[in-house]
Amino acid sequence: MFKGLKEKLKNWTKKISEKTETIDEPEKLVEAPKKEDEKAEIKDVGLPMEFDAGMQKYIPDTEEIKSIEENLQETVEKKEEIKPGEKGFLKKITSKLIKVKISEKEFEVYSEELEMLLLENNVALEVAEEIISKLKSEIVGKEFLKKEVEEEIKDSLKEIIKEILIEPFSLVDEIKKKKTGEPYVILFCGINGTGKTTTVAKIAEQLKGKKISSVLAAADTFRAASIEQLQKHGERIGVKVISHEYGTDPASVGFDAIKYAKKNLINCVLIDTAGRIHTSKNLLKEIEKVSKVCKPDLKLFIGESITGNDAIEQVKSFNWSIGIDGIILTKADIDEKGGTSLSVSYVTKKPILYLGTGQEYDAIEVFDKNKFIKRLGL
Ligand code: GDP
């Protein structure tokens, strides 16, 4: 899941961190001379203010310190002459203290690459631009220790993505807040084939596990076999389905399901609506009517994780027409990219509540921002 974005981000972060401008080399240091050259042995770059000379404690005076320093400097210079450019032990250690800075020019070069990799992995252009502009203000011109620069970039990306993904609320908690005797009504919208009907059944099954009863409303009275499809799901999971004839008003199916729930003290009504092309004005008008009549507590958009820009256009028009409250992305199990989650959250400012992770009823997981970020390797 989401391997595309993970791999690409990892490579990019590594690349830019290797190409940073060095601004602070450590002081010139040389390799410690070999043991046989006892006089030239350098144990420490700093001079001891006192040391043991046999049994006595010996404290050198200022003149002596000066002369030792001069000798040491000579030895250092000699050593450099002997093995110019050779990387030594001390150099290796202190190279970790090199400070680096990412210049604006460097960032511009690499940001183009970052934009491409984000777009290729289903991140919408406006989201990619936001990520890049925030990352730029976080890292350009700042000093980092070379050994830490990769982690610093990763941390910045992590925070930016965390901000883009809206914090999800708990559906179960919301349902439990509803006063007794009043069912909690959820309207599901989205286009055909995205997994909407399956998701309605998955949610009912999840709620059952939390001791929350539900009834399903087959409000897709438009597409042939849709009512039977929902009824089949209902039978399999043992949940009642309310349906009317094909061609009847979908709003009335929802209304009847709510009536049924009130009468039978059922906690939740899940309304499955007809999948509609988000560009069809008539069908969008129809779902507006269902929404007005049934007054749902929650309007959920169902979209496919794998479709990228299509899912973004869909969620925008459903949000515009009925004002959605949350998102469920299906087929995350077969999504190698991962960018759709970022895009749908950013364009709607609404949280993703669940990810569909397969065809089985239990193949659904509560969306967890930290888990998502971990899946991206950040
Ligand atoms: P609808 O037309 O939007 O109601 O879509 P359906 O519920 O009929 O689902 C369409 C297809 O997607 C079916 O074959 C489902 O089994 C499949 N599907 C639904 N959710 C998921 C999911 O999370 N992962 C995978 N791999 N398939 C899914």
Side-chain angles (χ1 to χ4, degrees), residues 191-198 202 229 331 333 356-359:
I191 72 158
N192 277 333
T194 51
K196 186 167 42 59
T197 309
T198 313
K202 283 179 180 180
Q229 194 189 345
K331 308 186 187 180
D333 52 310
T357 55
Q359 294 183 295

Side-chain angles (χ1 to χ4, degrees), residues 121-134:
N121 284 283
N122 281 343
V123 177
L125 181 63
E126 58 203 288
V127 190
E129 284 173 351
E130 172 76 3
I131 292 174
I132 290 167
S133 122
K134 281 198 166 154

Side-chain angles (χ1 to χ4, degrees), residues 21-37:
E21 180 190 320
T22 300
I23 53 164
D24 184 17
E25 289 274 12
E27 283 166 34
K28 276 184 187 166
L29 290 158
V30 293
E31 190 171 1
K34 286 189 190 99
K35 273 276 172 211
E36 55 265 27
D37 190 5

Side-chain angles (χ1 to χ4, degrees), residues 115-258:
E115 184 172 301
M116 276 312 293
L117 78 88
L118 291 171
L119 295 179
E120 280 167 7
N121 284 283
N122 281 343
V123 177
L125 181 63
E126 58 203 288
V127 190
E129 284 173 351
E130 172 76 3
I131 292 174
I132 290 167
S133 122
K134 281 198 166 154
L135 186 64
K136 184 177 173 181
S137 63
E138 283 296 317
I139 63 169
V140 166
K142 286 198 185 143
E143 287 180 16
F144 301 110
L145 284 178
K146 192 168 178 71
K147 62 171 180 150
E148 286 169 2
V149 67
E150 200 175 330
E151 276 310 306
E152 295 277 357
I153 297 174
K154 268 189 180 179
D155 282 351
S156 296
L157 274 171
K158 194 162 119 181
E159 287 312 308
I160 293 165
I161 289 176
K162 243 188 196 172
E163 236 175 79
I164 285 175
L165 293 168
I166 311 297
E167 190 64 43
F169 53 85
S170 157
L171 176 60
V172 171
D173 289 351
E174 290 302 306
I175 295 170
K176 284 182 176 165
K177 278 186 208 159
K178 189 96 187 190
K179 65 173 192 254
T180 31
E182 282 292 315
Y184 188 89
V185 180
I186 309 175
L187 182 75
F188 291 77
C189 67
I191 72 158
N192 277 333
T194 51
K196 186 167 42 59
T197 309
T198 313
T199 304
V200 171
K202 283 179 180 180
I203 293 290
E205 177 76 349
Q206 284 271 312
L207 297 179
K208 224 170 77 177
K210 303 275 179 200
K211 308 252 178 297
I212 296 170
S213 57
S214 55
V215 58
L216 312 184
D220 179 359
T221 57
F222 183 74
R223 184 171 58 106
S226 66
I227 298 175
E228 289 79 5
Q229 194 189 345
L230 192 68
Q231 276 166 343
K232 221 179 248 171
H233 283 308
E235 271 165 35
R236 286 195 199 129
I237 58 171
V239 172
K240 171 92 178 158
V241 178
I242 303 292
S243 62
H244 290 182
E245 294 293 307
Y246 283 106
T248 53
D249 181 6
S252 70
V253 184
F255 191 77
D256 280 358
I258 295 169

